[in-house]
Amino acid sequence: MKGTVYLNDKTGIVVIGATGREASQVIKESEALYPGIVKAGITPGKGGSTELPVPVFDTLAEAVKDPKVGKLLNTALIYVPPVSVLDAVMECLDNGIKVLYIITEHVPIRDSQIIFQEKERHGAIIVGGTSLGCFVPSVGRIGAIGGKDPSVAFKDGGIVVISKSGGLTVTTAEMFKRRGWGTYMALAIGGDIISNTTYADVLKQIKGDPKVKAVVMLGEPGGAYEEQVADLITSGGFDKPVAAFISGRFQERMPEGVAFGHAGAIVERGMGKATDKISRLEAAGKKFPVKVAFYYHELVKAIESLGVPRDFEDSTAEHVKPLYTTI
Amino acid sequence: MKLYEHEALGAIFKKYKIPVPRYIFATEMNDAVNQFVEKEPGVVVKSMVLVGKRGKAGAVKVVSDKAKVPDVVRDLATREVYGEKSIGALVEEKLDIEKEFYLSVTYSTKDRAPAIIFSEHGGMDVEEIDPKLIHTHVISDVRSVYPYQIRQFLTGIGFSDKDLLRPLSEVIVNVYHAFVGAECRLLEINPLVVARSGDKRKIVAADAVVILDDDASVNPAVVYGARSAQGRPMTQREQDAILIDQGDHRGKAGSYVELDGDIAMMTFGGGGSTVTAETAIEAGLRIANLTDIGGNPPAEKMYRISRIILSKPGIKGVLVCGGTASNTRIDVTLGEGLAKALDDMNAEGKLDKNLVWVVRRSGPEYVKGLKMLHECFVRNGIRGEIYDSQLPITEAPIRLKELLIKHAGYKPEKIV
C-alpha cells in the first residue's frame, strides 16, 4: 500500500451530500487533480443525476451494491448540514464504510459524542468534524485542502502536518515547502471538542511508516489532545522528531471565565490551557526529539534543529523584502 | 453561550425538575419584589452577570433585615462586577443550609465522553478543593444514565449519608438529563446544598452555571439573544458588524470583537487569525479589534467591515493578514472592498494618514489584488508595506511592530 490508512492508493471516495455547492466543486477539482479518486456521490432525491463527473445515488446502500463502483467505495467524505451529520455517519457505518471524513463545521456536541461512540463500536476511522480533509501528494487528496492549485503549498516529502485548523495546515505546508521540506501527509483533524481522530491517534497509525521523517503539529487551547502527544512520546509510543506550535497563549490573559468553564479545569486538571500543553511537550523534549516553537514561524527552525534533512533546496531568502512599500 | 443564572433556572432547571430556591428576577426594585420579600424570612440577592466569583466581588448578599432589601436590590441590579455591568438582580429565599456539595457535568476530552463531577466539599472555589476529594464519573453512553449507576458511583467514593443516596442520585440524573437535553457544554451547580425544611432535608441547587453548545440543534443566540463572548454588552461597532452578514450568506465578514488596544487587525481564516493575533500580542502590540473574515465575501461586505475596523478611535497601526486563501479572491476583498473604503474615508476626511500598515496575503488573484491595494495606498498617501506569502504569516505582526517603532514612535508592551 502506498500512503497511509487515511489516504492511500486504494482509497475510493464516496461523497455524502455530493450535489451541494461546496461538495460538487470539490468533486470537480479532485477529478482534475487526481482523476478517478472520487467514485460516487450520494444525494437523496438526486439519484441518477448526471451533473457530476461521478455517478450519483439516492442512498449509500444502492451505491455499495452498484456493480461498477460498489466494491471500490471505502472512504466517505461528508458534506451535509450540521444536524444531518449524525445521520450521514450512521448511513456510512451501517453500509460498511470504515474511513470517514466529516468536513461539516458546527456539528452539535451531543451528536459528536454519539458519533464517537458509534465509531468505536464499528472499529472505524473518522476524521473531523470540521476537517478540511487530507493530502498525500504522492497519492491523492480528500476534500478541499489546498484549493484549486495545491502545488503552491504541497510537494512530496517527509513531513506530516497535523492541525486542528484546516487553513493553517495548508499555510504550514507552504511555509515548509519554501524552506526545503515537502509534505508526506497533511491531515486537518478539526477542532471539535469530541475529536474522532486526535494527534495521538494519527501518531500511532503512522508510527512504523518509513516515509515519515518528522511531524509538525499545530495545537490549540482546550481539551487534552495535545497533552496526549506528550504522554505518548514519553511512554515510548512515538520516536520520530515532532515540532509543535500551540496557539492561544493570549487567551489566558483574557478575563476569567471567557474561555473555559471551571469543570473543564477540574476534569482535565493541569490540562487544556495553551501553557499547560506547551510545558507538557517541552518536558517531553528533554529526553525525546520534541521541540515547541514560541512563534509559529519558528516551526521551521525547530525542524531544522531536530536534524530533519531537507527534501529539496531552500528557496527563500533569509530576509523577505516587501512586494511594495510606501513607507 | 453562557446563560445568566435566572435564565438557567427559568428555562432549564425547571424543565428538568432540578430543585431550586424560590426566586424572583428583577431589573429594578418594584412591587413584585416587595411581595416576594414579604413572604420570606430572609433573602439572598445576587447580581446577574456572566462573570464568575461574584461572591468575592460582593455581588452576592444575604439580607435578613427586610428594610434593607430595596437598597441592596437597587445596588446589585445595576453595579459593575469585574467590569461587567449587571443586567438585574436575582432575589432568592434564604436556605437553611446543612451541607454544600459541588456538582457539574461536562465533556471530558481525555475520555471523549460526558463526565459527572461531584464533591462533598462544595461551596468554595473548586480550584481550592483538594483534588482527592473531587470524584469523576465518566458516562459510557451519552444516551443513558440511571440513578442506580449514580448510587454505585456515590457509594464507591465513600458517600455515607444513606438518607440522601436516593434523592441525590435522582437529582444528579435530572441534572445529567438537563445537560444532554438542553445541549450544554457545561452545567455546574456550586453549591448543591442540603437544606433543612422543618424536620425534612431537601437537595436544592443554590447556583446555576450553564454554558450551552453554540452549535446546538437550536441556536442559543436565537433563543436568548446574541451576547458578547466577553461577558459585556456589544459595542455599537460590534452590533453594526453583525448586520454585515445578515441576509447575505456569501462569505463571512461580520465576526468582529473589540479590545482596548491601538492596533486594528483585519485577519482572514480562523486558525490564521488566531496565530496572527497571538503573535501580535506576544510581540507587544496592543490589539484594538479582531475580525475573522473568510469564505470569499463580496467587495461590499469587505467595504463595510473595513470602515468599521478603521473607525475605532485611537488606532495607530493596521495589520491585514491571511494565509494563502483557497477560495477568497484577493482582488475582490483587498483590491476592491478595502481599497474603496480607504478611498471614501479619505475623501470624507476620515482617514488617519499617520497609521502604519502591514499587509500579508496570498490566494486567488493575489498579484492583481495586492497591486490594486498598493495603487490605493499611493493615491491616498497611506504608509506601509505589502507582502505575499513569501513572508511567513506570523512575521507580519513583528514587521508591523518594527515599522511602528521606527516611524510612529510606538512603545510596545513588555511581555515576559
Side-chain angles (χ1 to χ4, degrees):
Chain A
M1 180 183 80
K2 202 171 153 197
T4 67
V5 293
Y6 301 100
L7 172 55
N8 55 61
D9 54 0
K10 303 275 186 297
T11 294
I13 302 170
V14 55
V15 179
I16 315 293
T19 51
R21 190 173 61 100
E22 208 182 328
S24 53
Q25 192 187 334
V26 163
I27 292 170
K28 284 168 194 159
E29 275 179 18
S30 302
E31 193 57 23
L33 289 165
Y34 294 95
I37 193 165
V38 181
K39 309 288 184 195
I42 310 295
T43 296
K46 290 254 178 115
S49 154
T50 53
E51 62 188 276
L52 296 174
V54 297
V56 178
F57 301 88
D58 286 319
T59 67
L60 183 55
E62 288 170 66
V64 297
K65 276 186 225 122
D66 184 82
K68 263 206 220 139
V69 299
K71 293 224 160 25
L72 305 172
L73 307 179
N74 52 32
T75 303
L77 184 56
I78 297 175
Y79 271 101
V80 301
V83 291
S84 306
V85 169
L86 173 58
D87 178 36
V89 167
M90 292 314 297
E91 183 174 12
C92 292
L93 294 176
D94 286 342
N95 282 288
I97 304 291
K98 293 287 190 199
V99 179
L100 290 73
Y101 285 80
I102 303 171
I103 305 299
T104 310
E105 298 178 21
H106 305 296
V107 178
I109 302 173
R110 187 176 57 187
D111 289 358
S112 309
Q113 181 62 51
I114 298 170
I115 289 167
F116 174 74
Q117 290 173 197
E118 291 296 330
K119 166 197 93 87
E120 294 283 282
R121 198 164 69 83
H122 284 83
I125 287 176
I126 302 185
V127 183
T130 323
S131 171
L132 193 65
C134 182
F135 205 118
V136 177
S138 58
V139 172
R141 174 173 86 168
I142 295 175
I145 189 164
K148 223 179 261 168
D149 183 10
S151 68
V152 174
F154 295 102
K155 195 169 166 182
D156 191 18
I159 303 275
V160 171
V161 181
I162 314 169
S163 170
K164 285 179 177 172
S165 152
L168 267 193
T169 318
V170 183
T171 303
T172 306
E174 182 180 356
M175 177 166 75
F176 275 96
K177 186 191 156 210
R178 288 183 180 280
R179 300 301 310 278
W181 286 274
T183 305
Y184 174 50
M185 174 174 80
L187 187 67
I189 58 175
D192 288 12
I193 293 177
I194 302 300
S195 181
N196 286 292
T197 290
T198 64
Y199 304 99
D201 290 340
V202 181
L203 296 189
K204 285 178 205 160
Q205 291 284 0
I206 61 171
K207 192 181 163 194
D209 190 331
K211 289 271 185 60
V212 178
K213 285 190 197 165
V215 170
V216 173
M217 69 176 268
L218 301 157
E220 290 173 7
Y225 302 133
E226 290 82 354
E227 286 85 338
Q228 287 168 350
V229 171
D231 292 348
L232 180 73
I233 292 169
T234 47
S235 65
F238 192 79
D239 59 4
K240 287 185 181 162
V242 175
F245 173 77
I246 311 294
S247 70
R249 277 170 303 199
F250 80 97
Q251 285 182 8
E252 292 169 28
R253 295 197 203 100
M254 298 286 222
E256 199 168 337
V258 172
F260 301 103
H262 283 315
I266 299 169
V267 166
E268 286 142 10
R269 203 171 269 266
M271 295 195 200
K273 284 194 208 161
T275 45
D276 293 333
K277 295 171 189 295
I278 291 166
S279 54
R280 285 283 273 276
L281 287 162
E282 279 177 343
K286 288 194 177 131
K287 281 174 92 178
F288 300 89
V290 180
K291 271 251 152 63
V292 183
F294 182 80
Y295 285 127
Y296 164 76
H297 55 267
E298 289 173 350
L299 277 168
V300 174
K301 254 196 263 170
I303 281 293
E304 203 160 31
S305 73
L306 287 163
V308 182
R310 282 185 161 77
D311 296 306
F312 36 83
E313 232 171 89
D314 184 351
S315 64
T316 303
E318 186 71 21
H319 294 286
V320 179
K321 294 234 158 39
L323 285 183
Y324 303 105
T325 178
T326 56
I327 193 162
Chain B
M1 188 175 95
K2 195 168 179 181
L3 295 188
Y4 290 100
E5 187 177 352
H6 68 282
E7 291 175 328
L9 298 182
I12 296 172
F13 280 42
K14 199 171 160 192
K15 180 173 172 191
Y16 290 93
K17 299 190 171 59
I18 302 167
V20 299
R22 289 185 294 276
Y23 72 91
I24 183 166
F25 168 74
T27 53
E28 57 184 3
M29 194 55 212
N30 57 31
D31 285 349
V33 176
N34 272 326
Q35 283 163 21
F36 179 85
V37 173
E38 261 326 291
K39 291 181 212 140
E40 299 293 336
V43 294
V44 179
V45 185
K46 302 170 174 175
S47 284
M48 286 299 97
V49 285
L50 297 174
V51 71
K53 298 192 173 147
R54 286 174 306 184
K56 283 197 179 136
V60 177
K61 285 189 174 156
V62 179
V63 192
S64 304
D65 179 357
K66 284 183 188 179
K68 289 189 176 146
V69 169
D71 282 344
V72 173
V73 170
R74 276 184 211 109
D75 172 22
L76 294 192
T78 54
R79 75 152 67 182
E80 275 194 10
V81 184
Y82 304 119
E84 183 192 337
K85 188 140 180 14
S86 176
I87 63 155
L90 186 69
V91 185
E92 290 181 341
E93 75 170 292
K94 183 176 169 296
L95 297 164
D96 180 8
I97 294 171
E98 181 193 312
K99 284 185 195 176
E100 296 187 323
F101 300 145
Y102 172 90
L103 176 68
S104 64
V105 189
T106 189
Y107 286 98
S108 160
T109 56
K110 201 166 56 185
D111 304 291
R112 288 189 257 183
I116 292 171
I117 302 144
F118 177 79
S119 174
E120 289 186 66
H121 303 264
M124 59 181 110
D125 276 350
V126 278
E127 288 88 346
E128 288 164 18
I129 305 173
D130 182 345
K132 288 197 288 287
L133 301 174
I134 300 175
H135 306 282
T136 302
H137 177 63
V138 176
I139 309 295
S140 56
D141 182 355
V142 65
R143 290 163 288 198
S144 74
V145 167
Y146 295 98
Y148 84 87
Q149 294 169 315
I150 302 302
R151 291 194 290 277
Q152 286 177 1
F153 161 62
L154 290 171
T155 52
I157 62 168
F159 184 82
S160 56
D161 195 333
K162 300 239 184 269
D163 293 341
L164 291 180
L165 209 47
R166 178 173 288 280
L168 180 60
S169 68
E170 288 167 358
V171 168
I172 292 177
V173 164
N174 286 352
V175 168
Y176 180 79
H177 286 154
F179 172 81
V180 175
E183 294 188 68
C184 302
R185 279 186 67 159
L186 169 73
L187 199 166
E188 180 181 70
I189 301 169
N190 187 28
L192 179 69
V193 306
V194 181
R196 294 180 207 92
S197 170
D199 57 353
K200 282 192 193 140
R201 303 156 86 205
K202 57 180 185 181
I203 293 162
V204 185
D207 186 27
V209 176
V210 170
I211 299 176
L212 297 176
D213 179 5
D214 290 324
D215 298 328
S217 49
V218 179
N219 181 355
V222 172
V223 182
Y224 300 96
R227 63 192 51 160
S228 161
Q230 299 192 64
R232 56 160 171 79
M234 288 193 174
T235 68
Q236 188 57 48
R237 277 180 296 272
E238 287 171 340
Q239 292 175 35
D240 292 345
I242 285 179
L243 299 177
I244 294 176
D245 290 330
Q246 274 179 10
D248 185 348
H249 65 274
R250 297 171 301 162
K252 178 175 74 111
S255 161
Y256 171 87
V257 180
E258 294 196 337
L259 302 163
D260 286 335
D262 47 22
I263 304 298
M265 303 273 289
M266 181 185 284
T267 52
F268 298 82
S273 297
T274 311
V275 292
T276 310
E278 166 113 33
T279 311
I281 293 169
E282 295 293 352
L285 299 178
R286 292 171 293 268
I287 292 180
N289 50 35
L290 290 161
T291 319
D292 173 10
I293 304 165
N296 196 22
E300 166 66 15
K301 283 192 174 188
M302 283 301 299
Y303 175 83
R304 288 171 68 187
I305 193 64
S306 299
R307 292 197 64 134
I308 289 173
I309 291 169
L310 294 171
S311 67
K312 184 158 191 266
I315 287 172
K316 298 198 175 92
V318 187
L319 184 68
V320 179
C321 193
T324 302
S326 297
N327 276 320
T328 301
R329 288 267 300 265
I330 311 307
D331 54 341
V332 173
T333 49
L334 301 187
E336 294 173 24
L338 171 60
K340 183 166 191 300
L342 293 172
D343 288 341
D344 287 2
M345 286 180 81
N346 194 22
E348 294 161 21
K350 289 179 183 161
L351 185 66
D352 181 356
K353 302 289 184 65
N354 293 317
L355 297 181
V356 175
W357 290 66
V358 166
V359 178
R360 188 274 187 204
R361 189 69 169 131
S362 186
E365 304 297 339
Y366 79 93
V367 174
K368 183 181 166 198
L370 296 182
K371 182 165 177 280
M372 288 165 80
L373 187 61
H374 170 239
E375 286 160 3
C376 165
F377 276 22
V378 170
R379 70 176 169 265
N380 291 300
I382 294 166
R383 307 187 301 161
E385 291 182 348
I386 299 176
Y387 295 88
D388 64 9
S389 63
Q390 285 203 36
L391 187 75
I393 185 166
T394 50
E395 281 186 29
I398 294 172
R399 189 68 196 131
L400 178 63
K401 178 177 90 165
E402 291 165 1
L403 291 180
L404 279 163
I405 292 171
K406 192 171 162 199
H407 297 282
Y410 191 81
K411 291 196 173 50
E413 204 103 320
K414 290 254 185 302
I415 307 282
V416 270

